[in-house]
């Protein structure tokens, strides 16, 4: 199986690569259109801002390519947010593959932003991506912006209100949490994605 | 709802994990990767590695061990020690660290925090604050605490610095209460409560853990997001699965593996 990690300028691509290596998958780290088009699985990682992520995809001519992909595509953290129509972060138009807008957590007393740490998954819809996962299992999050819950939500989490933690829309999948940093639960999520 | 985090801290010197009492007299605890994996297996929520002599020796973190840790680690980890520029931070993050923590270099040049937040996002930027009550009763920030001969007390008040670093883009603050560090009589609740009131980003308590109830106390009374400890975990005095079970039974939200 050929797995491609798209280089959208994120700084922690290394940890995802190592996580895949632990599953015996040697991912290719690339921005090459043909390599991405022919891959079996495409992963869009990303740490940073929505604006930087989208600018980089535009510069590399990858926006239309991403929209046209038919194989399973997984966006992680910022990579998941980019799948949505819009991000409130710097008022950035995103890929528009999921029809909703990503918004910042509203700070208020006792609600810390960034949302950083382990939080429980609430399963909204059974799906092969969640095989072996139980209600309430915990995964690691680090983010200040979040996507709303909708028909695309497979699992949600709660921080001041519910938000999308794992999503699916056609062949596009997203994880707001970091599977590469979520111990055994994260391993299941990555494994399930590779097996879709 | 977010779980409260239990964070073993590994002080690193010459490729080994070491531990001292009140930041002095270090003894070797073992190789970095062995200890890191042991804590991961026990259910630690996150690890912090401090290259404790980097700042006082005027160098940045050695990146090779960061990469070695990243290859085997599937929980988040933060690296600290002499990181004084965006380029140095980038090399540590690219080696696989999730967050970088800055302390002495940020005191030398506070704009470093702004630069790091702009380059990597606030969620990657942790500011460590070494604080101790001064003779006039004020909590003040200390610098170069990795080397007792170089440690300086700064005129900066801890609370002012905590407010400033958040404005500059710190995404998390680790408050090392120096007077209680290593003595195992509990976290400095008074100081942590005061800093909590001035801190909107995640706050991690450091210094003083000696018993499971100290963790319960600091979560309940100082509302910190995480509690960091070193010697009690290294020595086996506190076992992480038992600690988490205790916290869970007391009604504190934690991740039970």
């Amino acid at each position: 199986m050929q797995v491609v990690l798209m280089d959208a300028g994120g700084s922690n691509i290394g940890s995802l690569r190592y996580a895949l290596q632990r599953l015996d998958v040697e991912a290719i780290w690339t921005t090459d259109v043909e390599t991405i088009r022919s891959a079996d699985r495409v992963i869009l990682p990303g740490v940073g801002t929505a604006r930087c992520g989208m600018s980089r995809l535009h510069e590399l001519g990858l926006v239309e390519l991403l929209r046209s992909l038919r194989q399973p595509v997984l966006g992680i953290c910022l990579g998941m947010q980019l799948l949505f129509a819009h991000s409130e972060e710097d008022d950035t138009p995103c890929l528009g593959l999921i029809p909703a807008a990503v918004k910042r957590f509203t700070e208020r007393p006792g609600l810390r932003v960034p949302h950083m740490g382990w939080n429980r998954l609430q399963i909204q819809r059974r799906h092969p991506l969640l095989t072996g996962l139980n209600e309430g299992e915990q995964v690691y999050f680090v983010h200040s912006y979040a996507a709303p819950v909708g028909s695309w939500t497979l699992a949600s989490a709660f921080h001041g209100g519910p938000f999308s933690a794992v999503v699916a829309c056609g062949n596009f999948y997203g994880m707001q949490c970091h599977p590469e940093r979520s111990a055994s639960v994260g391993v299941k999520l990555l494994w399930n994605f590779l097996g879709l | 709802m977010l779980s409260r985090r239990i964070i073993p801290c590994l002080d690193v010197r010459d490729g080994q994990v070491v531990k001292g009492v009140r930041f002095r007299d270090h003894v070797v605890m073992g190789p970095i990767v062995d200890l890191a994996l042991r804590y991961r297996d026990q259910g630690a929520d996150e690890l912090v590695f401090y290259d404790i002599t980097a700042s006082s020796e005027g160098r940045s973190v050695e990146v090779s061990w960061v990469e070695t840790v990243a290859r085997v680690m599937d929980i988040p980890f933060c690296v600290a020690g002499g990181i004084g520029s965006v380029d140095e931070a980038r090399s540590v993050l690219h080696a696989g660290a999730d967050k970088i923590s800055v302390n002495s270099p940020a005191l030398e040049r506070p704009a470093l925090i702004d630069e790091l937040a702009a380059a990597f996002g606030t969620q990657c930027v942790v500011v460590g604050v070494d604080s101790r009550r001064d003779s006039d009763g004020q909590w003040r920030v200390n610098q170069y605490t990795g080397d007792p001969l170089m440690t300086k007390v700064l005129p900066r008040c801890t609370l002012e610095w905590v407010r400033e670093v958040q404005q500059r883009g710190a995404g998390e603050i680790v408050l090392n209460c120096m007077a209680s560090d290593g003595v195992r009589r509990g976290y400095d609740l008074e100081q942590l409560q005061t800093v909590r009131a001035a801190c909107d980003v995640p706050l991690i308590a450091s210094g003083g853990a000696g018993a499971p109830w100290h963790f319960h106390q600091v979560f309940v009374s100082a509302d910190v997001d995480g509690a960091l400890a070193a010697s009690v975990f290294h020595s086996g005095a506190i076992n992480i699965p038992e600690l988490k079970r205790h916290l869970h039974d007391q009604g504190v939200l934690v991740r039970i593996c």
Side-chain angles (χ1 to χ4, degrees):
Chain A
M1 174 180 288
Q2 199 172 89
V3 179
V4 150
L5 278 171
M6 284 178 73
D7 181 7
S11 59
N12 77 337
I13 200 162
S15 54
L16 202 48
R17 221 169 156 198
Y18 299 143
L20 291 165
Q21 281 172 356
R22 293 194 290 270
L23 297 173
D24 283 328
V25 172
E26 194 56 60
I28 303 166
W29 179 359
T30 187
T31 56
D32 178 66
V33 170
E34 280 317 307
T35 312
I36 295 169
R37 200 189 299 281
S38 64
D40 299 301
R41 297 286 181 278
V42 175
I43 300 179
L44 178 62
V47 167
T49 67
R51 171 128 313 204
C52 291
M54 283 308 296
S55 307
R56 180 140 172 98
L57 291 178
H58 279 292
E59 279 161 28
L60 296 165
L62 297 177
V63 170
E64 283 314 313
L65 170 75
L66 259 166
R67 288 179 176 141
S68 70
L69 293 176
R70 292 287 167 264
Q71 64 273 56
V73 176
L74 174 64
I76 295 176
C77 196
L78 174 70
M80 170 188 127
Q81 295 178 8
L82 297 184
L83 300 178
F84 282 77
H86 184 270
S87 172
E88 193 180 29
E89 191 175 20
D90 302 321
D91 190 17
T92 307
C94 298
L95 293 165
L97 295 160
I98 305 176
V102 170
K103 296 214 175 338
R104 191 177 160 85
F105 285 113
T106 314
E107 279 167 68
R108 54 185 162 78
L111 188 75
R112 255 79 80 180
V113 181
H115 171 235
M116 191 186 297
W118 296 79
N119 205 331
R120 285 155 189 73
L121 289 177
Q122 286 150 344
I123 295 170
Q124 302 294 332
R125 180 150 66 90
R126 276 290 163 195
H127 186 281
L129 194 57
L130 301 181
T131 303
L133 266 80
N134 300 312
E135 177 78 15
E137 280 199 284
Q138 298 194 33
V139 286
Y140 185 74
F141 293 90
V142 186
H143 59 126
S144 299
Y145 292 79
V149 173
S151 59
W152 50 84
T153 308
L154 300 182
S156 61
F158 194 92
H159 186 60
F163 66 90
S164 279
V166 182
V167 299
C169 192
N171 60 311
F172 292 94
Y173 301 89
M175 298 175 190
Q176 179 62 67
C177 54
H178 286 268
E180 75 279 14
R181 285 290 178 256
S182 295
S184 58
V185 182
V187 172
K188 281 184 214 164
L189 285 168
L190 280 178
W191 189 248
N192 290 342
F193 172 71
L194 296 174
L196 286 174
Chain B
M1 300 284 281
L2 268 177
S3 292
R4 308 280 177 172
R5 285 177 269 159
I6 300 297
I7 308 172
C9 173
L10 294 84
D11 287 349
V12 173
R13 191 167 71 178
D14 305 326
Q16 301 277 322
V17 176
V18 298
K19 181 59 194 165
V21 174
R22 290 188 184 155
F23 288 58
R24 289 164 185 261
D25 305 328
H26 297 103
V27 289
V28 173
M29 305 301 301
I32 299 171
V33 169
D34 293 6
L35 275 129
L37 283 175
R38 194 177 97 197
Y39 290 129
R40 190 276 312 265
D41 292 344
Q42 289 180 354
D45 296 307
E46 184 174 321
L47 299 176
V48 175
F49 298 92
Y50 277 99
D51 189 330
I52 54 167
T53 52
S55 259
S56 46
E57 289 173 6
R59 59 174 173 83
S60 184
V61 173
E62 313 246 6
V63 174
S64 58
W65 63 259
V66 179
E67 193 178 321
T68 309
V69 169
R71 282 183 187 279
V72 300
M73 196 52 53
D74 59 5
I75 59 170
F77 70 97
C78 175
V79 171
I83 297 168
S85 70
V86 167
D87 285 344
E88 286 166 359
R90 185 177 289 116
S91 69
V92 173
L93 291 169
H94 276 187
D98 299 275
K99 300 186 265 191
I100 41 114
S101 181
V102 291
N103 187 332
S104 296
L107 289 163
E108 286 164 17
R109 199 171 64 80
L112 173 64
I113 301 166
D114 306 64
E115 294 165 14
L116 294 171
F120 310 113
T122 57
Q123 75 284 344
C124 288
V125 184
V126 181
V127 175
V129 179
D130 293 328
S131 172
R132 187 199 288 271
R133 201 191 278 277
D134 220 346
S135 48
D136 64 357
Q138 284 280 347
W139 287 298
R140 289 215 168 75
V141 179
N142 284 233
Q143 193 178 19
Y144 306 123
T145 54
D147 180 346
L149 297 174
M150 286 189 66
T151 300
K152 292 200 289 194
V153 183
L154 301 184
R156 265 176 210 282
C157 288
T158 302
L159 279 178
E160 285 166 25
W161 182 234
V162 162
R163 291 199 182 95
E164 181 177 340
V165 302
Q166 290 176 85
Q167 280 158 8
R168 290 181 177 277
E172 180 163 277
I173 293 173
V174 177
L175 187 71
N176 305 311
C177 302
M178 296 175 69
S180 52
D181 184 68
V183 293
R184 302 193 184 183
R185 295 210 183 110
Y187 291 95
D188 185 341
L189 300 176
E190 185 192 356
Q191 185 172 187
L192 284 158
Q193 284 163 351
T194 310
V195 169
R196 173 80 281 173
C199 182
D200 297 322
V201 297
L203 175 66
I204 309 299
S206 167
W213 65 273
H214 292 148
F215 289 84
H216 177 244
Q217 201 179 32
V218 77
F219 288 133
V220 170
S221 74
D223 191 24
V224 295
D225 299 272
L228 185 147
S231 61
V232 285
F233 295 141
H234 297 335
S235 69
I238 294 182
N239 164 287
I240 293 173
E242 284 169 17
L243 169 62
K244 286 192 154 184
R245 181 53 63 188
H246 169 80
L247 291 168
H248 173 80
D249 292 345
Q250 298 288 316
V252 176
L253 284 176
V254 289
R255 180 178 68 111
I256 305 279
C257 295

